[in-house]
Amino acid sequence: MILIGEDLNVMSGEISRVIKEQEPGPIQECVTEQTKNGMDYLDVNVGPVKKDPEGTMEWLINTVQAVTELPLCLDTTNPVAMEAGLKFCQKKALINSASGATESMETMLPLAAKYSADVVLSVINDSGLPSDADERAASIMESAAVANELGIPNENIWVDPVLLPIGVDQRQVTAYLEFIQMLQDLMPGAKSTCGLSNLSYGAPRELKSLLNRTFLVMIGRYGQHSAIVSGFDHELIRLIRGEEPEMVDLIYRAMDEEDMDTSALPQKELEYVKTAQVLMGKSLYSHSWLEV
Amino acid sequence: MRYEPPLEKISVNIRETVLGHGEKAIKIGGENTLPFHSFEGTLPNPPGLALEILDTEPQNWAPSILEPYEDVVSDPVSWAKKCVEVFGAEILCLRLESTDPMGQDGSPQAAAEMTKKVADAVDVPLIVWGSDMEEKDAQVLTEVARVCAGKNLLLSPVVKGNYEKIAQAALEHGHAIVAQASMDANLTKELNIVLCKFFPPEKIVVDPTASALGYGLEYTFSIIEEIKQFGLTDKDKMMQMPIICDFGGDCWRTKEAKENREQGILWEATTGISFLLAGANLLILRHPEALKLIKEMVV
């Protein structure tokens, strides 16, 4: 599983400030830490960069690349900033993101073709977010056809099925699970990614990571290629890097609805089982799902 | 080949909740099938139908809704008696409007005394509804619980922000409660889970918050259906509580109801019957004719 560290993000007030003031210290610290923690890519989320997109991207990309050799995932809605960023990336970059919405396809996909970059392509289209797995399939097939036409091969496309918060719409979480299993049949060779932390948006702070990491194990089993995750979630990283094989196996067994004597399970194991069950849509989500 | 109708047998029940005490106590819930599916399972109790009364003279009520109560609105006890004796109400809902901090801001003690008077004057089960102001309801409903100990009132609404105090008092003094979470199945479950850590599930009725026809009825309808299906087909124990709907006020605020008596009655009855079709177990109604219409249809 390819892990993309999400922490260099203008949504953080501090990161936003140091980008504006071109103060390399905190940025390089964030990059170094995530690199050390074992990320495979780093997301560089700069927002819309309204002021001097070219200058900002040049400075930022060089500042980041001075302390890491990891490839970058460029995260901006501004095509001018995106192109500027692509010019300075030393490794094959990942464009984050294009969608099936006309405007997004018209601006972002040509950049992916021109720079032979990888591109995240979400299942969103002009009518919004598809409501189930089949509609996701229909939407991505249309957008992928446009991308292929422009000379972008499936191998360069990282499909984002779009993960919604479980507290908002649990059915969208099960639709995700269903769709990710279909993806290789729909688009042979295509990769996949998602913004993992969105899953637990609104959930109790201390339980967010449990939801995120359980889900990542689950979609990993279904062939998920990568995910944008917190580069500081050590427990998640250990789990995904195969350092807790028994726990992964337990999550798989919960997914298979294997008969388990849950009363015999230690606390932590039981939490994973309950979380997997709620993520499979076997029981209705509530913030107290562990207490039932 | 003989045709066998495909029937869905459900192995769990909605919990049965007892309202009131003594001979006139009423049970709601208890079904092991979807609403009105008597061909698939059993529905041991018909829906509970309550008429509402206010503890203070109604303000801004349209003439056609005021008319049946005109002679009694100044006295909640007479109002309650009329609902039972003349209009045949088998359940009452006393709305403690006087306690609203944005209005008269009456004391919890006075409201509790009035509740006691009404509860003593009639023998039918009593729902006691606060002012929908979280903090004030915690003070008022705990006092009502204490003063009316043993009457098995249905105290409402209990929400995320005040459930501990009210449920504790209900438990101590022998009452049931309405757990209210607005239009959200996940939050309904959440509130039930935290309540059931110390409160008996069979004394909880859930309120998804109801909107009148034309004002969001379809959202309420879907949420009721969802709650019922999670409880019955998914066997989710935290979703097996009976459901209450309170919408009379909403109906009689509509232009259509205010303009025309018949229209108002039909507005309320149609809203109510829709919620029963979705799976509601207990309705609070405002007009005696709406009560009569619904009763004729379902009981």
Side-chain angles (χ1 to χ4, degrees):
Chain A
M1 174 85 73
I2 301 294
L3 298 179
I4 305 170
E6 71 183 358
D7 300 83
L8 189 60
N9 190 325
V10 283
M11 296 288 277
S12 141
E14 170 70 359
I15 295 290
S16 172
R17 185 186 65 79
V18 293
I19 291 178
K20 219 171 275 162
E21 293 171 12
Q22 304 214 339
E23 191 185 320
I27 292 171
Q28 291 184 331
E29 195 182 319
C30 177
V31 167
T32 310
E33 279 300 307
Q34 292 189 79
T35 308
K36 205 173 74 195
N37 290 346
M39 293 296 107
D40 301 300
Y41 270 77
L42 295 180
D43 193 64
V44 183
N45 185 333
V46 289
V49 245
K50 293 203 179 88
K51 232 178 96 188
D52 185 21
E54 278 114 344
T56 304
M57 290 308 276
E58 179 179 5
W59 176 81
L60 183 59
I61 300 297
N62 288 334
T63 301
V64 170
Q65 290 183 145
V67 289
T68 191
E69 300 203 332
L70 294 180
L72 304 181
C73 171
L74 302 182
D75 197 343
T76 173
T77 47
N78 179 349
V80 179
M82 184 63 80
E83 178 152 19
L86 288 167
K87 281 184 197 154
F88 296 103
C89 282
Q90 288 158 7
K91 298 246 166 76
K92 185 178 183 182
L94 174 58
I95 295 173
N96 186 11
S97 63
S99 76
T102 311
E103 196 196 332
S104 173
M105 283 201 289
E106 283 173 356
T107 52
M108 292 298 179
L109 291 183
L111 289 178
K114 182 174 169 188
Y115 290 89
S116 298
D118 284 339
V119 58
V120 176
L121 185 58
S122 86
V123 296
I124 290 170
N125 56 31
D126 286 325
S127 349
L129 178 65
S131 64
D132 62 15
D134 291 337
E135 281 188 30
R136 279 177 165 77
S139 175
I140 201 65
M141 292 306 282
E142 278 187 34
S143 318
V146 176
N148 294 157
E149 194 71 19
L150 288 168
I152 305 167
N154 279 356
E155 285 69 18
N156 285 8
I157 299 174
W158 299 40
V159 174
D160 178 3
V162 182
L163 188 52
L164 283 194
I166 187 164
V168 169
D169 192 347
Q170 195 171 3
R171 278 167 295 204
Q172 283 283 9
V173 176
T174 45
Y176 187 112
L177 290 171
E178 208 184 313
F179 173 78
I180 197 70
Q181 296 176 76
M182 298 158 55
L183 184 60
Q184 279 312 312
D185 290 332
L186 296 170
M187 290 175 61
K191 300 181 168 80
S192 52
T193 196
C194 67
L196 185 67
S197 46
N198 203 32
L199 174 71
S200 54
Y201 179 82
R205 183 174 289 274
E206 68 282 6
L207 298 175
K208 283 173 189 278
S209 168
L210 177 63
L211 279 170
N212 297 347
R213 50 185 200 263
T214 309
F215 193 70
L216 195 54
V217 169
M218 292 166 67
I219 57 181
R221 188 188 194 191
Y222 289 156
Q224 179 85 25
H225 173 73
S226 75
I228 303 171
V229 304
S230 164
F232 293 87
D233 189 339
H234 297 282
E235 216 169 336
L236 177 139
I237 297 164
R238 267 207 316 279
L239 194 64
I240 294 304
R241 294 304 186 215
E243 287 170 37
E244 293 181 62
E246 295 87 4
M247 217 55 109
V248 170
D249 185 56
L250 186 70
I251 294 170
Y252 287 178
R253 283 161 55 205
M255 291 168 77
D256 295 338
E257 297 181 63
E258 195 177 296
D259 250 337
M260 274 188 262
D261 181 9
T262 46
S263 62
L265 289 176
Q267 183 62 24
K268 199 172 167 196
E269 278 77 358
L270 185 60
E271 288 183 357
Y272 274 112
V273 168
K274 284 182 171 177
T275 306
Q277 284 167 344
V278 91
L279 287 166
M280 292 290 286
K282 293 298 162 204
S283 59
L284 178 68
Y285 173 81
S286 80
H287 296 327
S288 303
W289 82 93
L290 293 179
E291 294 169 40
V292 189
Chain B
M1 216 170 90
R2 235 186 100 229
Y3 172 70
E4 288 288 339
L7 296 181
E8 192 185 358
K9 290 284 173 202
I10 294 171
S11 59
V12 294
N13 290 65
I14 296 298
R15 287 192 180 79
E16 199 168 60
T17 299
V18 181
L19 310 177
H21 63 113
E23 269 179 39
K24 294 285 178 72
I26 281 187
K27 287 179 186 166
I28 56 167
E31 70 269 26
N32 64 358
T33 185
L34 296 174
F36 301 104
H37 283 221
S38 49
F39 52 91
E40 281 190 322
T42 51
L43 301 110
N45 304 302
L49 303 173
L51 273 186
E52 65 177 305
I53 62 179
L54 309 191
D55 71 339
T56 182
E57 249 182 80
Q59 305 294 313
N60 307 320
W61 275 25
S64 44
I65 181 62
L66 203 52
E67 181 261 328
Y69 307 117
E70 218 147 23
D71 52 336
V72 290
V73 282
S74 56
D75 174 29
V77 171
S78 315
W79 191 348
K81 281 185 166 168
K82 186 172 188 185
C83 284
V84 176
E85 290 159 14
V86 179
F87 301 129
E90 290 167 3
I91 307 170
L92 290 181
C93 174
L94 173 63
R95 209 176 282 280
L96 301 174
E97 293 257 307
S98 71
T99 62
D100 188 349
M102 310 293 280
Q104 296 174 36
D105 200 15
S107 75
Q109 290 72 24
E113 284 311 320
M114 178 53 80
T115 306
K116 177 106 181 10
K117 274 189 200 164
V118 171
D120 285 341
V122 292
D123 50 5
V124 301
L126 191 62
I127 304 164
V128 181
W129 206 285
S131 56
D132 292 308
M133 302 297 277
E134 206 170 287
E135 280 175 36
K136 186 68 184 281
D137 281 349
Q139 299 166 16
V140 171
L141 295 177
T142 49
E143 183 64 9
V144 168
R146 193 183 65 78
V147 172
C148 300
K151 295 225 178 247
N152 195 22
L153 305 173
L154 181 60
L155 303 174
S156 180
V158 170
V159 296
K160 189 182 167 204
N162 64 18
Y163 75 90
E164 280 169 312
K165 282 183 187 154
I166 302 175
Q168 200 57 54
L171 188 63
E172 201 174 318
H173 301 292
H175 304 292
I177 57 170
V178 168
Q180 183 188 71
S182 190
M183 300 276 185
D184 186 313
N186 302 109
L187 295 180
T188 298
K189 179 169 178 177
E190 172 72 15
L191 184 55
N192 286 343
I193 292 172
V194 293
L195 276 168
C196 287
K197 284 183 190 169
F198 65 96
F199 195 81
E202 67 278 7
K203 301 207 84 167
I204 300 174
V205 176
V206 299
D207 176 15
T209 67
S211 302
L213 173 63
Y215 295 80
L217 175 143
E218 53 276 39
Y219 294 100
T220 311
F221 194 98
S222 301
I223 287 288
I224 297 174
E225 275 189 316
E226 255 192 309
I227 294 174
K228 201 103 294 183
Q229 287 178 15
F230 281 124
L232 288 175
T233 47
D234 288 13
K235 304 181 177 58
D236 191 326
K237 286 193 168 59
M238 288 298 121
M239 300 297 265
Q240 290 167 350
M241 288 70 172
I243 297 169
I244 185 172
C245 288
D246 171 37
F247 50 88
D250 250 20
C251 285
W252 287 94
R253 258 192 299 275
T254 64
K255 184 165 74 58
E256 295 82 352
K258 280 181 177 166
E259 273 171 7
N260 178 311
R261 176 177 180 273
E262 292 310 305
Q263 217 159 252
I265 291 166
L266 285 174
W267 207 271
E268 188 175 12
T270 311
T271 302
I273 199 81
S274 303
F275 293 149
L276 292 181
L277 286 167
N281 300 88
L282 176 56
L283 304 182
I284 301 174
L285 299 161
R286 188 164 279 190
H287 201 291
E289 289 296 319
L291 170 73
K292 203 173 141 210
L293 270 178
I294 294 181
K295 220 178 198 173
E296 280 168 9
M297 281 189 272
V298 301
V299 180

